[in-house]
Short mmCIF file of all heavy atoms in Angstrom, two decimals:
data_model
loop_
_atom_site.label_atom_id
_atom_site.label_comp_id
_atom_site.label_asym_id
_atom_site.label_seq_id
_atom_site.Cartn_x
_atom_site.Cartn_y
_atom_site.Cartn_z
N GLU B 209 41.88 146.90 70.22
CA GLU B 209 42.73 146.83 71.41
C GLU B 209 44.20 146.96 71.03
O GLU B 209 44.72 146.14 70.27
CB GLU B 209 42.48 145.49 72.13
CG GLU B 209 43.06 145.40 73.52
CD GLU B 209 42.37 146.35 74.52
OE1 GLU B 209 41.21 146.74 74.29
OE2 GLU B 209 43.02 146.69 75.53
N PRO B 210 44.88 148.01 71.55
CA PRO B 210 46.26 148.27 71.13
C PRO B 210 47.29 147.64 72.06
O PRO B 210 47.13 147.66 73.29
CB PRO B 210 46.33 149.80 71.24
CG PRO B 210 45.41 150.14 72.38
CD PRO B 210 44.35 149.06 72.45
N PHE B 211 48.34 147.11 71.48
CA PHE B 211 49.45 146.55 72.25
C PHE B 211 50.75 147.06 71.66
O PHE B 211 51.01 146.86 70.48
CB PHE B 211 49.44 145.02 72.20
CG PHE B 211 48.24 144.38 72.84
CD1 PHE B 211 47.09 144.14 72.11
CD2 PHE B 211 48.27 144.03 74.19
CE1 PHE B 211 45.97 143.56 72.71
CE2 PHE B 211 47.16 143.44 74.79
CZ PHE B 211 46.01 143.20 74.05
N TRP B 212 51.55 147.68 72.48
CA TRP B 212 52.83 148.23 72.01
C TRP B 212 53.98 147.37 72.52
O TRP B 212 54.10 147.14 73.72
CB TRP B 212 52.99 149.65 72.54
CG TRP B 212 54.36 150.24 72.37
CD1 TRP B 212 55.17 150.12 71.28
CD2 TRP B 212 55.08 151.02 73.33
NE1 TRP B 212 56.34 150.80 71.49
CE2 TRP B 212 56.31 151.36 72.74
CE3 TRP B 212 54.79 151.49 74.61
CZ2 TRP B 212 57.27 152.13 73.40
CZ3 TRP B 212 55.74 152.24 75.27
CH2 TRP B 212 56.96 152.56 74.66
N GLY B 213 54.82 146.93 71.60
CA GLY B 213 56.06 146.29 72.00
C GLY B 213 56.12 144.80 71.76
O GLY B 213 55.12 144.10 71.90
N ASN B 214 57.30 144.35 71.41
CA ASN B 214 57.53 142.91 71.24
C ASN B 214 57.23 142.16 72.53
O ASN B 214 56.74 141.04 72.52
CB ASN B 214 58.98 142.68 70.82
CG ASN B 214 59.32 141.22 70.63
OD1 ASN B 214 58.60 140.49 69.94
ND2 ASN B 214 60.40 140.76 71.25
N ASP B 215 57.52 142.83 73.66
CA ASP B 215 57.32 142.15 74.95
C ASP B 215 55.85 142.10 75.35
O ASP B 215 55.51 141.63 76.42
CB ASP B 215 58.17 142.77 76.06
CG ASP B 215 58.18 144.28 76.02
OD1 ASP B 215 57.30 144.86 75.35
OD2 ASP B 215 59.06 144.88 76.65
N ARG B 216 54.97 142.60 74.49
CA ARG B 216 53.54 142.46 74.75
C ARG B 216 52.90 141.33 73.93
O ARG B 216 51.69 141.13 74.00
CB ARG B 216 52.81 143.79 74.44
CG ARG B 216 53.03 144.85 75.48
CD ARG B 216 52.52 144.34 76.84
NE ARG B 216 53.05 145.11 77.93
CZ ARG B 216 52.47 146.17 78.45
NH1 ARG B 216 51.33 146.57 77.98
NH2 ARG B 216 53.04 146.80 79.45
N LEU B 217 53.70 140.63 73.16
CA LEU B 217 53.10 139.58 72.33
C LEU B 217 52.47 138.49 73.18
O LEU B 217 51.46 137.89 72.79
CB LEU B 217 54.12 138.98 71.37
CG LEU B 217 54.47 139.80 70.13
CD1 LEU B 217 55.07 138.89 69.06
CD2 LEU B 217 53.28 140.55 69.55
N ASP B 218 53.03 138.23 74.36
CA ASP B 218 52.42 137.23 75.23
C ASP B 218 51.03 137.70 75.68
O ASP B 218 50.12 136.88 75.85
CB ASP B 218 53.30 136.96 76.45
CG ASP B 218 54.57 136.20 76.07
OD1 ASP B 218 54.61 135.61 74.96
OD2 ASP B 218 55.53 136.21 76.86
N GLN B 219 50.89 139.01 75.86
CA GLN B 219 49.57 139.53 76.22
C GLN B 219 48.61 139.44 75.03
O GLN B 219 47.43 139.15 75.20
CB GLN B 219 49.66 140.98 76.71
CG GLN B 219 50.24 141.10 78.11
CD GLN B 219 50.06 142.50 78.70
OE1 GLN B 219 49.26 143.30 78.22
NE2 GLN B 219 50.80 142.78 79.75
N VAL B 220 49.13 139.68 73.83
CA VAL B 220 48.30 139.52 72.64
C VAL B 220 47.80 138.08 72.56
O VAL B 220 46.62 137.81 72.32
CB VAL B 220 49.09 139.88 71.36
CG1 VAL B 220 48.30 139.52 70.10
CG2 VAL B 220 49.45 141.36 71.34
N ASP B 221 48.71 137.16 72.79
CA ASP B 221 48.39 135.74 72.79
C ASP B 221 47.25 135.45 73.77
O ASP B 221 46.26 134.79 73.45
CB ASP B 221 49.65 134.95 73.19
CG ASP B 221 49.58 133.49 72.79
OD1 ASP B 221 48.70 133.13 71.97
OD2 ASP B 221 50.40 132.70 73.29
N ARG B 222 47.41 135.97 74.96
CA ARG B 222 46.41 135.75 76.00
C ARG B 222 45.07 136.40 75.66
O ARG B 222 44.00 135.87 75.94
CB ARG B 222 46.96 136.33 77.30
CG ARG B 222 46.19 135.93 78.53
CD ARG B 222 46.86 136.58 79.72
NE ARG B 222 46.09 136.38 80.91
CZ ARG B 222 46.57 135.82 82.02
NH1 ARG B 222 47.80 135.39 82.07
NH2 ARG B 222 45.79 135.68 83.09
#
Side-chain angles (χ1 to χ4, degrees):
Chain B
E209 192 67 23
F211 295 89
W212 168 41
N214 179 50
D215 42 17
R216 285 300 163 91
L217 283 201
D218 290 342
Q219 286 192 17
V220 171
D221 199 14
R222 193 180 173 124

